[in-house]
Amino acid sequence: MFGLRKEKMVADKGKRMKVAEKGEEENSEQIDGDLVLSIEKLQEIQDELEKINEEASEKVLEVEQKYNVIRKPFYDKRNDIIKSIPDFWLTAFLSHPALGELLTEEDQKIFKHISSLEVEDFKDLKSGYSITFNFNPNPYFEDTKLTKTFNFLDEGTKITATHIKWKEGMGLPNGVSHEKKGNKRQFAEESFFTWFTDAQQKDDMDEIHDEVAEILKEDLWPNPLTYFNNEADEEDFDGDEGDEEVSVEMRIAGLRNLATGKR
């Protein structure tokens, strides 16, 4: 009798364990089902948010396009006034912490002939923009307008630039001619014109970033007066290499004084 009772107890315990395991499996299935349902609902909400964000982006572009039209006559008036200020763009470039480093001594001579600068978004803002440098007649090249254009395409960014018609004896860099080796021109140093002539298809999204173009478009162009009036920190001219930097600063200060009528 004791043996039968013990076997029955073991059997009952086994049944209870199976029932418990079955309950755990059912509970686990219920949890998994609830989790999947929650994730699906969450994804639906995210999809709706994406639609709203896309719509918001389109609205922002529409507003920007509207105000680009409103800004245009003011930019034109500003350019007209700037033309009456000697070496305005040269001074603004030299005073800019990033762009100033891009101008070689020969670049600075050429920049004295800039009459105006224009940055223009395409009608479809997402498709690109252009940067145009207008020049007075000068001894360096035949062109009076140099334009660099950035086209944003599905396959990458297409960059085009005016082919500069250098006058005899002039060229890149530093106002002298340089032969090309293969498809690449050998530059003695980085300069504004090495950047300007770097026009090619950018297929890799990581290569689309053009820091100089973005600085011109987003920083210098909106308010060049900020940099024309910019006073460099006097601490920048301490130390052994101060003489050269002070010379640049004195030249900038002289240009500002000339523009404002100061002596």
Side-chain angles (χ1 to χ4, degrees):
M1 289 292 293
F2 178 76
L4 291 175
R5 189 179 301 113
K6 185 175 181 180
E7 289 177 3
K8 186 175 184 303
M9 290 175 64
V10 171
D12 290 343
K13 184 177 181 180
K15 290 180 180 179
R16 287 197 298 271
M17 290 179 65
K18 289 182 179 180
V19 170
E21 289 175 359
K22 185 177 180 180
E24 288 177 0
E25 290 177 1
E26 291 177 350
N27 187 46
S28 177
E29 291 176 0
Q30 179 64 35
I31 292 174
D32 290 343
D34 292 342
L35 180 60
V36 169
L37 185 60
S38 295
I39 291 175
E40 289 177 349
K41 289 181 177 179
L42 186 60
Q43 186 60 56
E44 289 176 1
I45 293 174
Q46 285 302 136
D47 291 342
E48 291 299 320
L49 285 172
E50 284 299 319
K51 291 179 182 178
I52 294 172
N53 290 337
E54 289 177 8
E55 182 179 346
S57 297
E58 291 297 326
K59 293 296 182 182
V60 168
L61 289 176
E62 290 176 11
V63 171
E64 187 64 23
Q65 286 173 332
K66 172 185 175 181
Y67 280 92
N68 275 348
V69 174
I70 295 174
R71 294 186 190 106
K72 184 64 167 62
F74 290 94
Y75 283 140
D76 292 341
K77 289 179 182 178
R78 187 181 73 180
N79 266 339
D80 288 341
I81 295 172
I82 286 175
K83 289 177 182 179
S84 67
I85 302 175
D87 300 326
F88 179 91
W89 288 110
L90 170 60
T91 306
F93 263 75
L94 286 175
S95 298
H96 194 286
L99 298 176
E101 297 179 358
L102 195 64
L103 296 186
T104 65
E105 288 186 9
E106 290 300 322
D107 288 342
Q108 293 176 36
K109 294 176 183 177
I110 298 173
F111 262 55
K112 290 177 72 68
H113 300 280
I114 289 182
S115 60
S116 64
L117 170 66
E118 298 172 4
V119 175
E120 186 174 1
D121 287 304
F122 293 168
K123 190 170 182 180
D124 178 4
L125 300 183
K126 294 183 293 184
S127 63
Y129 63 93
S130 64
I131 302 174
T132 299
F133 299 85
N134 296 297
F135 287 83
N136 293 318
N138 63 81
Y140 297 97
F141 42 73
E142 302 291 345
D143 310 89
T144 57
K145 178 182 291 188
L146 300 180
T147 300
K148 189 161 187 175
T149 303
F150 298 82
N151 291 277
F152 302 142
L153 309 172
D154 291 339
E155 59 271 22
T157 298
K158 181 180 180 181
I159 303 175
T160 57
T162 302
H163 178 70
I164 303 176
K165 301 181 181 69
W166 295 98
K167 292 184 177 180
E168 185 177 355
M170 300 298 174
L172 286 174
N174 304 323
V176 297
S177 298
H178 285 260
E179 295 182 357
K180 294 175 69 175
K181 293 183 179 180
N183 293 324
K184 294 184 179 180
R185 185 185 295 274
Q186 302 302 305
F187 296 116
E189 60 182 311
E190 192 70 18
S191 74
F192 168 81
F193 288 98
T194 64
W195 164 78
F196 183 83
T197 56
D198 180 18
Q200 56 187 303
Q201 181 82 19
K202 303 283 189 180
D203 297 322
D204 188 340
M205 292 300 291
D206 293 334
E207 296 181 356
I208 289 177
H209 179 72
D210 188 311
E211 185 177 3
V212 174
E214 291 183 6
I215 289 173
L216 288 169
K217 182 177 186 293
E218 304 295 343
D219 190 21
L220 183 67
W221 171 247
N223 189 1
L225 191 59
T226 297
Y227 295 102
F228 182 80
N229 288 330
N230 184 43
E231 295 291 347
D233 191 336
E234 293 182 359
E235 293 181 0
D236 291 342
F237 306 112
D238 293 341
D240 296 336
E241 55 187 34
D243 292 343
E244 180 180 350
E245 294 179 344
V246 167
S247 177
V248 173
E249 175 63 11
M250 289 176 65
R251 184 163 67 252
I252 294 173
L255 290 172
R256 289 200 193 93
N257 291 337
L258 179 61
T260 57
K262 294 180 181 179
R263 294 288 184 270

